């Protein structure tokens, strides 16, 4: 990694994981900001300088109260919408598999808010959060997941394969790591077109070992593509603990081998993620090439489904491959109340307004459920459509 | 005899062979601590330790490639690719290296590799986790292809495969793991290339493999109620193929339905039709029928998924058409 700042951030995260009290925590740092009214500039000049020293160029100071509130709302949307999926699984009203994103909301929201509407994201199997953060419709997503004919992908794809190209979403994908290639490919397309768009790919800690990530990163570095590779290090690749199959702890160190700037951020801190993503996006737009961002976080649920989970209770417990204590430690770093507390402290919103937002999002999720429920299922013969550009499968005989 | 789940039969085969031969080891994604995505390696990590039951990073190329290299040394790796769909990621190692190795080197090397994988539809997990990809591999010289339908066959065949000196793709249908069947308590092996007549009959031959054997047997029961006596031949291994048993059955019934969960075009069933017309044309009383998946990716919606893959009803209908 080129910049010292990311190393110090990385150390901070590692220290925080270990419960080490040394070093200034992000929250303590932000607490020192003092009261700032909604809509005003976020960081004082002094604080901005300090932040620049610690995080590099600071972009959070450009965020309005409205944007901050929208980020909080988006994080809640992901949390509550996915909790509804969990309920559906637990009550038997769900078929197939869903890979829940809960606990990682700060990453999708931090990254996608640093992007423009016309920027691209390539998502993976754990991608509901990315889609919602990029503007995905809760009702159409739920209709797809409950295999309705009018869902985003007409019931062909389900939870693993949802997309909306109009929002710059290049699709979720069930093959681990391929999103990085699609993202870098899109970035190449952007370069050829000559626009100042950016393409982001999301992958977990398990997304680095097939050839995709390596090929994407190498191409992006060689041709200075406007690509941002986001590694969501949630500690597990499927059920294998990543530290059991990697020789390094900070995966962003790989970036150096490609000649790319690598950053490590606290993936449970939406502003940290936003700040680095915004920096990377601005750099890419200005022709500065790619960035690899590793976000340290933790998966609250099982690899897929709701094993070990209960209705009305967050998190999946008593899973054989991890301890409940480890999960609880990470749940204590829940990005949503953390951000809410910050916003209230900074007087961006009141507790009352924050509660109203919870109620609004809860209602939006209920509306999505009602919408999805009312949608028709596909007709069996529809399965022969969309195989080719011409539509149906050509008949072998008349 | 005792009743075992399909997954238990697979696990018991692995366990017995690991005890018998210290050169047998396992590697794959989530096979150790978690016990396999479908539970077929449960308990083996605890019993044999991480050197012989190895969790890998998510890299199918690494799994197939490393297993091939180890096999060339005389080890007997049983590698697992979590889904048959992910075989694409191990394709080069399997097709260009493992399968061709002995041939390219003029018989000086051998690759005693078993690559286990889970295939097939039925769980609503859509196009990248539900395919039947066996036809791709049946086309590859140097690679055996084994697809059992029952716990008994799974155990006996897997043990044989581990002792065999060829690279073998061993495909377990994901909807079979929870099925039960009688398995002998004493050791037994089932030779490769030996089909099993799962139900004797005289009116029509139904040739199937993997989960489609169960669908075909269900169909045979329905057909029996309507006075049609179907013979169900379970191929068990697709390569080597038991042509003798197929021809013997065709001679008896004169009517054949080839059933496969793979897509119809260029599928395993197509190969069976070719073999039958070459070897038993004079005994046929009707054109050979194929009952296969539609030529579509597997869709997620249960309505569409059920429509895409064959069922007992499709086999019943085909039999009635043939005898009608």
């Amino acid at each position: 990694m080129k910049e010292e700042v990311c190393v110090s951030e990385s150390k901070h995260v590692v220290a925080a994981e270990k419960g080490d009290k040394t070093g200034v925590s992000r929250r303590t740092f932000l607490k020192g900001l003092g009261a700032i009214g909604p809509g005003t500039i976020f960081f004082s000049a002094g604080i901005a300088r300090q932040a620049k020293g610690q995080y590099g160029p600071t972009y959070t100071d450009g965020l309005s109260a409205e944007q901050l509130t929208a980020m909080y709302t988006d994080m809640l949307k992901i949390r509550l919408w996915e909790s509804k999926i969990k309920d559906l699984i637990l009550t038997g009203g769900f078929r197939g598999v869903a890979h829940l994103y809960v606990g990682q909301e700060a990453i999708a929201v931090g990254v996608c808010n640093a992007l423009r509407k016309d920027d691209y994201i390539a998502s993976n199997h754990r991608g509901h959060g990315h889609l919602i953060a990029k503007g995905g419709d809760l009702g159409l997503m739920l209709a797809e997941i409950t295999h309705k004919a009018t869902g985003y992908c007409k019931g062909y794809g389900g939870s693993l394969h949802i997309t909306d190209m109009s929002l710059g979403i290049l699709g979720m994908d069930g093959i681990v790591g391929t999103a990085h290639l699609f993202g870098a490919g899109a970035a190449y397309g952007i370069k050829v077109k000559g626009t100042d768009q950016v393409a982001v790919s999301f992958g977990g800690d398990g997304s680095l070992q097939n050839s995709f990530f390596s090929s994407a990163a190498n191409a992006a570095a060689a041709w200075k593509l406007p690509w941002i590779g986001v590694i969501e290090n949630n500690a597990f690749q499927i059920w294998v603990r990543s530290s059991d199959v990697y020789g390094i702890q900070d995966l962003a160190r790989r970036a150096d081998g490609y000649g790319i700037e690598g950053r490590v951020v606290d993936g449970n801190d939406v502003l940290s993620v936003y700040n680095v993503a915004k920096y990377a996006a601005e750099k890419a737009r200005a022709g500065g090439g790619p960035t690899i961002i590793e976000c340290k976080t933790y998966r609250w649920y099982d690899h897929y489904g709701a094993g070990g989970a209960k209705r009305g209770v967050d998190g999946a417990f008593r899973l054989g491959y991890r301890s409940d204590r480890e999960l609880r430690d990470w749940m204590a770093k829940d990005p949503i109340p953390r951000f809410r507390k910050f916003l209230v402290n900074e007087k961006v919103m009141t507790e009352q307004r924050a509660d109203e937002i919870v109620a609004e999002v809860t209602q939006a999720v209920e509306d999505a459920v009602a919408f999805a429920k009312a949608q028709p299922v596909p007709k069996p013969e529809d399965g022969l459509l969309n195989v080719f550009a011409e539509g149906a499968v050509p008949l072998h005989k008349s | 005899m005792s009743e075992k789940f399909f997954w238990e039969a697979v696990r018991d085969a692995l366990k017995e062979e690991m005890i018998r031969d210290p050169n047998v080891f396992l590697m794959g994604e989530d096979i150790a601590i978690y016990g396999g995505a479908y539970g077929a390696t449960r308990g083996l990590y605890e019993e044999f330790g991480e050197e012989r039951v190895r969790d890998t990073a998510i890299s199918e190329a690494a799994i197939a490639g490393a297993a091939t290299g180890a096999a060339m040394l005389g080890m007997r790796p049983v590698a697992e690719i979590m889904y048959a769909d992910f075989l694409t990621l191990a394709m080069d190692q399997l097709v260009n290296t493992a399968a061709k190795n002995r041939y390219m080197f003029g018989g000086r090397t051998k690759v005693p590799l078993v690559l286990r994988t889970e295939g097939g539809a039925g769980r609503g997990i859509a196009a990248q986790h539900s395919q039947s990809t066996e036809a791709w591999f049946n086309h590859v010289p140097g690679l055996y292809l084994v697809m059992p339908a029952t716990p008994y066959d799974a155990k006996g065949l897997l043990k044989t495969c581990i002792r065999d000196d060829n690279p073998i793709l061993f495909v377990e249908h994901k909807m079979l793991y929870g099925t039960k069947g009688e398995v002998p308590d004493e050791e037994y092996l089932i030779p490769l290339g030996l089909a099993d007549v799962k139900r004797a009959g005289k009116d029509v031959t139904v040739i199937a493999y993997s989960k489609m054997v169960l669908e075909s047997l269900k169909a045979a029961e329905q057909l029996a109620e309507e006075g049609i006596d179907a013979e169900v031949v379970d191929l068990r291994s697709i390569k080597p193929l038991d042509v003798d048993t197929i021809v013997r059955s065709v001679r008896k019934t004169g009517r054949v339905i080839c059933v496969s969960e793979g897509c119809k075009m260029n599928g395993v069933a197509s190969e069976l039709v070719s073999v039958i017309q070459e070897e038993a044309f004079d005994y046929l009383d009707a054109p050979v029928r194929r009952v296969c998946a539609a030529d579509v990716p597997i869709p997620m919606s249960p309505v569409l998924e059920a429509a895409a893959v064959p069922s007992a009803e499709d086999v019943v209908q085909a039999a009635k058409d043939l005898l009608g």
Side-chain angles (χ1 to χ4, degrees):
Chain A
M1 291 177 290
K2 285 176 181 170
E3 308 215 349
E4 282 303 311
V5 289
C6 48
V7 177
S8 65
E9 174 73 350
S10 151
K11 275 182 188 153
H12 153 61
V13 172
V14 174
E17 280 172 26
K18 289 177 180 161
D20 192 338
K21 299 292 179 215
T22 58
V24 180
S25 79
R26 174 71 172 155
R27 187 177 294 174
T28 311
F29 164 65
L30 291 169
K31 259 186 186 170
L33 298 178
I36 300 169
T40 60
I41 289 179
F42 219 76
F43 294 103
S44 71
I47 294 293
R49 266 198 307 280
Q50 197 183 330
K52 193 170 179 176
Q54 189 169 0
Y55 298 107
T58 301
Y59 292 87
T60 37
D61 55 0
L63 283 169
S64 67
E66 205 180 4
Q67 285 171 298
L68 289 163
T69 305
M71 287 166 80
Y72 176 68
T73 308
D74 280 354
M75 287 168 77
L76 269 176
K77 273 188 191 171
I78 298 170
R79 174 70 53 90
L80 298 181
W81 185 88
E82 282 216 325
S83 298
K84 183 59 74 175
I85 302 294
K86 178 192 73 172
D87 289 351
L88 284 176
I89 297 169
L90 289 171
T91 51
F94 180 87
R95 182 173 180 273
V97 298
H99 302 75
L100 298 181
Y101 191 74
V102 169
Q104 305 178 203
E105 294 90 343
I107 302 168
V109 171
V111 170
C112 290
N113 274 277
L115 299 177
R116 292 197 317 228
K117 227 180 173 144
D118 65 342
D119 289 332
Y120 293 106
I121 63 165
S123 175
N124 62 353
H125 59 286
R126 201 173 306 287
H128 303 148
H130 310 144
L131 270 64
I132 292 172
K134 196 74 170 65
D137 182 273
L138 298 185
L140 291 173
M141 284 178 67
L142 200 58
E144 181 58 33
I145 283 186
T146 50
H147 44 79
K148 297 301 179 72
T150 46
Y152 258 129
C153 305
K154 303 189 170 87
Y156 285 67
S159 166
L160 270 168
H161 310 287
I162 312 179
T163 195
D164 184 350
M165 279 300 290
S166 71
L167 297 171
I169 300 164
L170 302 171
M172 292 169 66
D173 201 274
I175 306 296
V176 170
T178 50
H180 296 306
L181 269 183
F182 304 145
Y188 188 77
I190 290 167
K191 200 174 170 78
V192 173
K193 279 197 303 178
T195 63
D196 69 343
Q197 289 158 289
V198 169
V200 174
S201 55
F202 289 97
D205 39 281
S207 71
L208 307 187
Q209 283 310 106
N210 268 320
S211 61
F212 316 127
F213 180 82
S214 183
S215 305
N218 185 61
W223 302 322
K224 279 202 144 184
L225 301 181
W227 172 67
I228 304 170
V230 177
I231 305 166
E232 300 186 70
N233 187 347
N234 68 11
F236 296 98
Q237 28 189 294
I238 311 183
W239 300 288
V240 165
R241 191 176 284 276
S242 262
S243 56
D244 285 349
V245 292
Y246 283 131
I248 54 172
Q249 190 166 17
D250 290 336
L251 303 177
R253 285 177 60 192
R254 296 269 183 102
D256 210 23
Y258 301 107
I260 295 178
E261 180 182 357
R263 295 295 198 97
V264 181
V265 291
D266 177 352
N268 282 23
D269 178 353
V270 68
L271 290 180
S272 282
V273 175
Y274 170 85
N275 194 44
V276 177
K278 188 77 176 171
Y279 159 73
E282 296 305 314
K283 184 180 84 175
R285 281 189 222 293
T291 309
I292 288 169
I293 303 171
E294 177 187 5
C295 307
K296 306 276 194 190
T297 185
Y298 196 82
R299 192 176 77 202
W300 284 20
Y301 289 98
D302 203 356
H303 168 58
Y304 70 80
K310 287 183 184 156
R311 290 190 73 184
V313 181
D314 284 333
F317 295 90
R318 305 183 69 173
L319 300 176
Y321 56 90
R322 70 183 190 192
S323 71
D324 290 354
R325 188 180 168 175
E326 182 181 70
L327 171 62
R328 286 208 174 86
D329 285 349
W330 274 95
M331 287 176 73
K333 290 182 264 189
D334 186 340
I336 296 178
R338 190 170 163 183
F339 191 41
R340 171 177 168 143
K341 196 172 170 191
F342 170 77
L343 294 175
V344 171
N345 279 346
E346 302 308 323
K347 302 210 172 1
V348 174
M349 62 170 69
T350 60
E351 287 284 1
Q352 191 195 346
R353 177 66 195 129
D355 286 340
E356 282 168 18
I357 293 173
V358 174
E360 286 163 20
V361 174
T362 304
Q363 188 55 50
V365 170
E366 289 306 327
D367 292 347
V369 172
F371 169 81
K373 211 170 189 175
Q375 299 306 303
V377 296
K379 297 191 285 289
E381 58 270 28
D382 292 347
L384 294 175
L385 303 175
N386 296 304
V387 181
F388 295 98
E390 294 77 14
V393 182
L395 292 173
H396 298 300
K397 57 182 180 184
S398 54
Chain B
M1 296 284 253
S2 42
E3 195 164 60
K4 298 253 185 187
F5 282 112
F6 191 96
W7 72 263
E8 289 178 301
V10 171
R11 186 217 34 210
D12 291 351
L14 294 169
K15 182 175 168 173
E16 287 176 21
E17 291 305 295
M18 289 178 81
I19 291 169
R20 185 188 62 79
D21 182 352
N23 289 325
V24 177
F25 73 95
L26 316 181
M27 63 192 306
E29 290 158 14
D30 280 299
I31 62 159
I33 295 169
Y34 193 80
Y38 288 90
T41 51
R42 247 174 266 174
L44 299 179
Y45 168 76
E46 289 76 8
E47 185 167 351
F48 296 99
E50 69 174 1
E51 292 298 329
R52 294 185 69 195
V53 185
R54 175 64 78 179
D55 274 337
T56 68
I58 299 178
S59 176
E60 288 74 12
I63 294 166
T68 299
M72 287 177 71
L73 295 186
M75 301 298 289
R76 293 193 173 267
V78 183
E80 178 174 323
I81 300 295
M82 193 178 274
Y83 285 89
D85 314 69
F86 304 167
L87 283 168
T88 50
L89 302 159
M91 197 91 170
D92 186 65
Q93 288 66 38
L94 192 59
V95 172
N96 271 328
T97 305
K100 295 175 183 173
N101 202 287
R102 177 194 293 270
Y103 187 85
M104 287 191 302
F105 297 127
R108 295 171 77 100
T109 59
K110 63 177 181 181
V111 181
L113 160 71
V114 180
L115 200 68
R116 291 180 45 246
T117 190
E118 294 88 347
R123 278 191 72 204
I125 46 181
Q128 292 176 337
H129 291 76
S130 306
Q131 284 171 97
S132 295
T133 60
E134 61 271 14
W136 305 346
F137 298 93
N138 203 32
H139 196 67
V140 176
L143 192 63
Y144 280 158
L145 178 58
V146 179
M147 296 185 70
T150 66
Y152 172 85
D153 289 338
K155 185 179 177 192
L157 285 165
L158 183 52
K159 283 169 69 81
T160 303
C161 289
I162 292 171
R163 298 179 193 196
D164 195 275
D165 280 346
N166 294 291
I168 299 175
L169 184 61
F170 193 90
V171 186
E172 299 152 17
H173 196 293
K174 60 173 70 68
M175 302 309 284
L176 290 178
Y177 288 108
T179 61
K180 276 185 158 181
E182 291 289 326
V183 176
D185 297 322
E186 62 277 9
E187 181 171 64
Y188 65 99
L189 296 168
I190 299 172
L192 301 183
L194 192 62
D196 183 38
V197 179
K198 286 279 193 287
R199 184 189 194 281
K202 60 177 176 23
D203 296 331
V204 58
T205 297
V206 181
I207 306 174
Y209 59 93
S210 192
K211 180 174 173 254
M212 286 299 127
V213 172
L214 306 193
E215 293 296 323
S216 299
L217 287 169
K218 224 186 285 175
E221 293 303 315
Q222 289 179 36
L223 288 167
E225 286 171 18
E226 301 184 38
I228 297 173
D229 190 15
E231 175 152 304
V232 177
V233 177
D234 176 5
L235 292 177
R236 301 198 290 196
S237 72
I238 295 166
K239 193 194 284 183
L241 183 67
D242 183 357
V243 177
D244 288 348
T245 299
I246 293 171
V247 170
R248 207 177 305 130
S249 184
V250 174
R251 283 184 176 194
K252 185 161 71 166
T253 64
R255 290 178 174 81
V256 195
I257 302 165
C258 302
V259 191
S260 165
E261 198 182 309
C263 288
K264 192 169 193 175
M265 192 177 288
N266 290 11
V268 171
S270 310
E271 179 61 23
L272 294 173
V273 175
S274 303
V275 168
I276 291 163
Q277 77 86 18
E278 280 174 353
E279 303 293 332
F281 185 79
D282 293 340
Y283 299 94
L284 289 173
D285 295 326
V288 182
R289 294 291 296 261
R290 287 177 295 167
V291 174
C292 304
D295 287 317
V296 301
I298 301 297
M300 179 270 187
S301 159
V303 178
L304 300 177
E305 188 183 39
V309 297
S311 64
E313 286 66 38
D314 297 322
V315 178
V316 168
Q317 190 54 51
K320 286 183 182 170
D321 291 350
L322 276 182
L323 288 149

